[in-house]
Every structure is written in C-alpha cells, then in structure tokens.
Amino acid sequence: MARNKPVTLAVAVVAVLVVAGSAVLLNGTSSGAPSSDQYVSELDQVLTEPKTPNVVIRCGANEERHLNADNPVVSPGIPFGAHHTHEYVGNKSADAKSTDASLAAASTTCEKDDLSTYYWPVLRLTDGTGHDAHADGGGLHGNTGEVLRPKSVEIRYDGSPVSAVLPMPRFLRLITGDPSAFTHDYGPDTRARWGCSDQPGRYTTKYPLCGNATTLRSYDFGSCWDGNNTDSASHRTHVVFPLAGGMCPAKTFPIPRLHVTVGYDIPPGHPFAIDSFEEELRDPATDHGMYINVMPDAQMAELVGHLNRSR
C-alpha cells in the first residue's frame, strides 16, 4: 500500500535466539531484525480447509528477479509507492506504470499464457547489507539485508466446497493480508500464514524457526465476488471471504479461490524478516499478497470448467 510520508520509529532491541543449535545475535531496529519474540519454534495454529478440486499453474520462482518497490494494485502510477520491495511471478511488465492494456500486451513466466501478476514483499537476511541499501524500497525506507530468492512458488486455484464457481472477470484486482497489521493492532484483515515444510497443516503468524526444513509463506485470497466490479476503493469489498463452511455471503458469487505458497531455504542461524512500511517494524503479521487476473478469457473458462467438473 502507499504512504505519503513514512514514520520513523527507532526501537532498539538486543536479543539472542537459538536457531538450529547456534546462537544468533539480533541487533534489531526499525531497519534491522525484529525483536526475538517475533520468532517461534512451535507452529501453534492448525489449518483446517475443506478439500476441493484445484488447478496448479506453474509460474517459476522469479528466476529473472523481477523486483520493484511499486504496487500496481494499491498505488498505480506512483513509482516506489509501496515503500518496500515486492517480488513478482507471472506478468513480466508489472510495475507502477501498468495498465490493463500494458499487462495484456506483455509476456509472462507462467504456463498456459497466464499473463496474471502475483506479488508479495521480499524476505531478507537481516545480518548483512543488501543490494538496495541506499535505494527506495530498500534502505531508504527502512528495509535492509540481502534479499532471499524463493526456492519454490505454487500458484493454485481451488473450487468451492459447496457450489460451482463463476469465472473471475479479467483484470480483477485482489489483496490479502494487512500491510499495516502492527499499527492496526492485528485487526480483521490480518491473514499472515507462516509454516515449515516438515509440519504440514500447521502455521503461525510469527516468523517460524524451521531449522533445515523449508520456510513457507501462504497467501489465501477472497473468493466471493460482488458480480460487478474488478476493484473497489479498499481493494477488498468487491471480493470477500466465504463464511464458515464455504458459503458466500448474500449478494456475492463464488469464484476460484487463489492460494499462493512461497518456499525459502533460510540458512540456519541467520535472522530474517520481510519488507514492511517503516512504522510496521517488519512485523511478520504484516505479510500480504496482491494479484491482478490477466488470464485470457478462454483459459479462465477452461480453469473454471475443470474445477466444476471435478466437484
């Protein structure tokens, strides 16, 4: 999301964590590692989701290193409007200048001509200096450290557990999670989900200490569309989350439910943190993801047909 003027909070923290048997000194500030209580070794929440048909689209793991501090969903037309760096897969042209026409004319890292753009804040090792220590989105906005390359990215579309789904409209824009979760006191838009590959079905809203296992970040998007709009002022009210059991609220209609899961092999013993607005202190609960659907209509129809036939 955009910020007109970042707020600087200098919060000094000195803590010792034990990670995979080795001590790690965290000299945390608003531009360094978060405090030690933001890291946990136990995943305290259990994931319960109904099993539904799904379609996985391979988009790579950003091998071409498409990174920028823009946000074409929340702050279109504003260079560096995110005030932190995003990592992208899919549409190769996505940036602050993106329009529906430019996205539709671009190339993609995804299979099946999926021109959609999928993006989220980068993850960094905080005990070193990154390539952008003096750049917008990086050190100039309080985000320092070496950017970690994802090991894997899974793009998955799920069907509804209770009904058929309608096609997503082309150029639908979505956000999940709250980039301001810390200053919003972890309100209802907070949807951060961190996990470890060796503990399936469990997650936490804090940074997990996974040892030699792969660290996972998961993004679950709303799937109940208002039937009219591809965006809204909040970027949320045109598509909301289902009720318990999977039914959509009144006056909304089920569409494919997007899940994005990103995996990282984090070197044991190294502190890490996501990029955030400076005042959010790189809190793990601020994790969030964005999406613009640029699938050709024929591909979306094929995806929806598979989800509905497989129910």
Side-chain angles (χ1 to χ4, degrees), residues 16-30:
V16 174
L17 280 181
V18 177
V19 184
S22 60
V24 178
L25 181 64
L26 301 184
N27 295 310
T29 69
S30 61

Side-chain angles (χ1 to χ4, degrees), residues 2-273:
R3 280 290 187 273
N4 293 325
K5 183 178 180 181
V7 177
T8 302
L9 296 181
V11 179
V13 179
V14 178
V16 174
L17 280 181
V18 177
V19 184
S22 60
V24 178
L25 181 64
L26 301 184
N27 295 310
T29 69
S30 61
S31 61
S35 58
S36 61
D37 62 0
Q38 296 286 14
Y39 297 82
V40 296
S41 55
E42 296 293 330
L43 307 185
D44 57 352
Q45 301 189 51
V46 178
L47 181 62
T48 56
E49 290 185 339
K51 291 186 177 180
T52 63
N54 66 74
V55 172
V56 173
I57 296 180
R58 292 186 294 271
C59 294
N62 196 18
E63 288 83 359
E64 296 181 21
R65 308 310 297 141
H66 182 180
L67 305 169
N68 61 49
D70 301 341
N71 192 333
V73 169
V74 177
S75 49
I78 304 175
F80 317 118
H83 286 197
H84 52 261
T85 300
H86 286 131
E87 181 132 29
Y88 295 77
V89 299
N91 198 291
K92 292 184 178 182
S93 72
D95 61 18
K97 302 184 295 293
S98 292
T99 63
D100 291 352
S102 70
L103 292 170
S107 56
T108 181
T109 68
C110 296
E111 63 181 351
K112 299 181 180 179
D113 251 355
D114 179 11
L115 294 167
S116 302
T117 182
Y118 310 85
Y119 61 104
W120 54 89
V122 296
L123 187 67
R124 300 177 190 255
L125 298 179
T126 58
D127 55 355
T129 301
H131 70 284
D132 55 356
H134 304 289
D136 289 293
L140 292 184
H141 284 122
N143 297 296
T144 59
E146 175 191 350
V147 174
L148 280 166
R149 297 189 177 206
K151 173 186 179 182
S152 60
V153 177
E154 181 189 79
I155 307 295
R156 190 182 86 235
Y157 292 87
D158 288 355
S160 165
V162 296
S163 69
V165 297
L166 299 176
M168 289 179 171
R170 201 174 195 206
F171 306 118
L172 180 71
R173 285 156 165 79
L174 299 178
I175 182 172
T176 188
D178 185 0
S180 298
F182 175 71
T183 54
H184 286 169
D185 198 24
Y186 310 110
D189 291 329
T190 303
R191 290 187 174 271
R193 185 184 295 171
W194 297 82
C196 301
S197 61
D198 61 350
Q199 299 183 58
R202 303 190 71 86
Y203 71 98
T204 177
T205 59
K206 295 182 183 265
Y207 291 123
L209 301 177
C210 296
N212 291 320
T214 298
T215 299
L216 303 174
R217 302 164 70 184
S218 298
Y219 307 101
D220 178 28
F221 290 79
S223 57
C224 296
W225 175 46
D226 68 7
N228 292 305
N229 299 294
T230 57
D231 204 355
S232 54
S234 66
H235 313 291
R236 301 178 189 274
T237 56
H238 63 300
V239 179
V240 297
F241 285 85
L243 304 171
M247 186 72 69
C248 280
K251 299 182 180 180
T252 65
F253 307 91
I255 57 174
R257 189 166 186 172
L258 172 62
H259 296 262
V260 179
T261 303
V262 187
Y264 298 86
D265 282 344
I266 297 175
H270 289 266
F272 58 94

